[in-house]
Amino acid sequence: MVIGKEVLAIRGVESEPVPRFSEVRFEDGAHFRIELPSVEGPDVLRAVVEAADAAGVVINRVSQGSGAMLLSKSELAEMARMGADAGLEVSLFVGPREEWDIGAVARSHDGPTLAGRLRGVRQLRYAIDDVMRALECGIRGFLVADSGLLELLRSMQVAGEIPESVVWKVSAVLAPSNPLTFAQLARLGGCTINVPADVTLGQLFEMRSVSPIPIDLYVEAPDAMGGVVRGHEAADLIAVAAPMYVKFGLRNSVPLYPSGLHLLDEAMMIAREKVHRAGLALEWIEDSGIELIQSKPGAKGLGVPEP
């Protein structure tokens, strides 16, 4: 297959300089993994697994944004069983957050940057309880959007109060835009770090240069995060940022947080379309001419549930 870069080069049109490819890999030697966000409960997870099986697409991680606190213990246990059976990580947002609290600043015009932070000791206590409750149900992956909580949870893990297999995913709400902040979040305990969806290849290279921690990147972002659609660029992005979680949000879709039965049909349809988007990106990766390896189900380093 002739690729666009070759066609342009023959005609004297050179591409912008591409940063050096990353030599870092996941523990299993892979360059990338696929993540679907906003998988808001057992029914949505079941829709993802069924759609992925039908399409022959490997999903390595699903994440959820409404918070573990809005799932019952039976729902948490069910998601843990499904994740374990499929060999995929189930990563749940730590529930309490400033945007849903009684304080009004996070909901003001200039307040969204505070949305995922924890407000006072009261919310810190609830956040710890939220993690421990989900751990008891077998969950081994969590999204964290508060740097203080991240440092605390990692210290609990080092002390043996939390299983070593747990993966701390730094949420897109806390996404760093420069290498110093990226490295700081890694030191605080982040196992994978979400960066902004609109970063350039050069900026990805800068962050990869300071830490081997896996990068999470929306190649399609929901409207609230800018609505970037760049799945066709996945191979170039992975080559520079590896190891990388390739994330598929969905532009022009219904906001889901906090989710529930009132949004179940929409959540399931959105999840199925994300599987479709992932399949499309995998086709682009295959046709790119760059040899890239995806992790298989149950790969080392994934926070696969332990029901």
Side-chain angles (χ1 to χ4, degrees):
M1 175 179 172
V2 177
I3 58 177
K5 181 169 62 175
E6 295 171 349
V7 172
L8 292 172
I10 291 171
R11 290 158 177 78
V13 181
E14 295 294 333
S15 301
E16 62 180 327
V18 176
R20 185 175 67 250
F21 284 3
S22 170
E23 297 180 0
V24 189
R25 302 289 181 266
F26 283 106
E27 294 176 76
D28 60 349
H31 299 80
F32 73 98
R33 294 173 176 173
I34 298 291
E35 175 182 345
L36 300 190
S38 304
V39 176
E40 302 298 299
D43 290 325
V44 187
L45 178 53
R46 189 173 297 107
V48 165
V49 171
E50 291 173 354
D53 286 346
V57 173
V58 173
I59 305 299
N60 302 107
R61 171 199 270 169
V62 297
S63 52
Q64 176 255 17
S66 296
M69 70 178 195
L70 293 183
L71 294 169
S72 67
K73 289 183 179 180
S74 62
E75 289 172 322
L76 291 168
E78 188 176 359
M79 292 188 78
R81 285 192 299 271
M82 283 193 284
D85 290 344
L88 58 81
E89 178 178 324
V90 176
S91 186
L92 307 181
F93 207 107
V94 180
R97 63 192 79 172
E98 187 158 338
E99 64 180 315
W100 295 348
D101 201 48
I102 58 175
V105 173
R107 294 186 295 278
S108 69
H109 180 74
D110 294 328
T113 56
L114 301 174
R117 311 298 173 87
L118 299 181
R119 189 178 177 91
V121 174
R122 180 177 58 87
Q123 279 204 343
L124 282 169
R125 174 168 65 86
Y126 288 139
I128 296 166
D129 291 343
D130 198 29
V131 170
M132 302 308 290
R133 175 174 175 267
L135 286 174
E136 290 177 359
C137 297
I139 300 299
R140 292 296 181 268
F142 296 91
L143 283 87
V144 183
D146 186 281
S147 57
L149 177 66
L150 176 64
E151 185 174 27
L152 172 65
L153 291 171
R154 179 54 185 157
S155 72
M156 293 174 67
Q157 193 172 29
V158 171
E161 299 169 278
I162 288 175
E164 190 57 37
S165 57
V166 172
V167 172
W168 309 114
K169 171 179 163 58
V170 176
S171 166
V173 180
L174 202 58
S177 300
N178 67 75
L180 292 182
T181 306
F182 186 91
Q184 180 186 55
L185 290 168
R187 289 194 302 271
L188 291 175
C191 300
T192 78
I193 300 175
N194 216 119
V195 300
D198 61 350
V199 290
T200 65
L201 286 175
Q203 289 163 345
L204 279 173
F205 175 75
E206 291 168 353
M207 286 187 268
R208 173 52 63 228
S209 298
V210 299
S211 173
I213 293 293
I215 288 173
D216 305 347
L217 179 66
Y218 275 99
V219 296
E220 181 165 350
D223 294 334
M225 293 182 178
V228 171
V229 181
R230 59 193 310 196
H232 54 285
E233 293 183 60
D236 291 323
L237 296 166
I238 294 164
V240 171
M244 175 176 147
Y245 281 88
V246 187
K247 293 186 62 175
F248 294 88
L250 191 62
R251 184 173 181 170
N252 192 30
S253 61
V254 178
L256 294 174
Y257 306 154
S259 193
L261 287 175
H262 59 305
L263 293 171
L264 181 58
D265 290 342
E266 288 90 343
M268 292 172 66
M269 289 299 294
I270 288 169
R272 292 189 185 104
E273 181 55 30
K274 288 174 183 174
V275 173
H276 178 236
R277 294 285 216 271
L280 290 173
L282 288 169
E283 290 183 2
W284 279 94
I285 291 169
E286 185 176 353
D287 292 342
S288 69
I290 306 173
E291 292 189 17
L292 298 170
I293 301 169
Q294 180 184 3
S295 289
K296 297 185 183 303
K300 187 175 182 181
L302 283 170
V304 177
E306 299 172 6

